[in-house]
Amino acid sequence: MNKATARALTPLVVFAALAALLFYGLRLDPRKVPSPLVDKPAPAFELPSLEDPGRVVTNAILLGRVSLVNVWASWCPSCRQEHAELMDIARSNDVQVIGFNWKDTRPEALQMLKRYGNPYVVSAYDPDNRYGLHWGVYGAPETFVIDGEGIIRYKHIGPVDRAVWETKILPIVEKYRPQTS
């Protein structure tokens, strides 16, 4: 192959390599991105409560029992999709559901809770992503399972529905729930 032919084929080879990478990337499921935080202590936070701005919510609320930390926002259609399931989980299970209201406005977030109900023991309010970055949040909804020692045991990206609850989250909740004798 002479230099002119090699030079002419170089863009084609580069294009083919990029196309192959893109094709491979399209087959990956973004919900299966492993979190480097799993099996590590939940990042510390100190945020105002959505409902009561004078109340400060810290990661101390995560100690003593299994918690679900649900990252949500009023502008998020998938958050509204999972909301009824979160209401059911909060009513029917011995797990505290903590809200992490993310990149939202207080009036719109409060309006959503008023309209659809409030499954959260409390919602920490993080309108500017000050603490979401520490948690590795890059979209809503995301749900973390935190054990009673404050260790992240699982991260689910996307809405929680009945199948996700029963097959992925509930077994982890049950594994880390304190056993009664």
Side-chain angles (χ1 to χ4, degrees):
M1 179 183 314
N2 64 31
K3 280 187 171 183
T5 304
R7 201 177 338 210
L9 289 177
T10 299
L12 181 61
V13 170
V14 169
F15 174 77
L18 288 174
L21 284 172
L22 176 62
F23 181 73
Y24 175 75
L26 289 174
R27 293 183 19 218
L28 299 176
D29 185 351
R31 294 179 187 193
K32 293 185 179 174
V33 175
S35 172
L37 299 176
V38 171
D39 295 328
K40 293 185 173 64
F45 62 92
E46 187 173 315
L47 288 164
S49 162
L50 174 68
E51 300 88 345
D52 178 7
R55 177 181 176 195
V56 176
V57 183
T58 70
N59 53 322
I61 196 166
L62 303 174
L63 301 176
R65 64 188 289 203
V66 177
S67 303
L68 298 184
V69 175
N70 177 252
V71 179
W72 68 282
S74 63
W75 48 261
C76 165
S78 296
C79 298
R80 285 190 298 277
Q81 176 188 344
E82 75 174 359
H83 202 81
E85 186 64 31
L86 293 175
M87 291 291 292
D88 189 50
I89 291 167
R91 267 191 308 268
S92 309
N93 295 276
D94 185 28
V95 61
Q96 72 175 351
V97 183
I98 307 295
F100 195 94
N101 184 250
W102 181 70
K103 291 187 173 183
D104 209 347
T105 67
R106 190 178 303 274
E108 290 172 339
L110 291 170
Q111 181 60 37
M112 180 176 156
L113 295 180
K114 182 178 178 184
R115 182 173 186 185
Y116 298 108
N118 188 349
Y120 307 112
V121 172
V122 66
S123 276
Y125 181 56
D126 190 19
D128 55 6
N129 197 28
R130 210 169 26 144
Y131 288 95
L133 287 172
H134 302 297
W135 283 70
V137 174
Y138 65 89
E142 293 182 10
T143 303
F144 297 84
V145 178
I146 315 291
D147 72 14
E149 302 295 318
I151 307 296
I152 296 174
R153 296 302 179 177
Y154 179 74
K155 178 181 179 181
H156 177 76
I157 298 171
V160 174
D161 59 18
R162 178 57 44 185
V164 166
W165 168 250
E166 289 178 352
T167 63
K168 295 181 179 177
I169 297 175
L170 183 57
I172 296 167
V173 167
E174 289 176 346
K175 178 178 179 180
Y176 291 101
R177 188 180 319 216
Q179 302 301 315
T180 56
S181 344

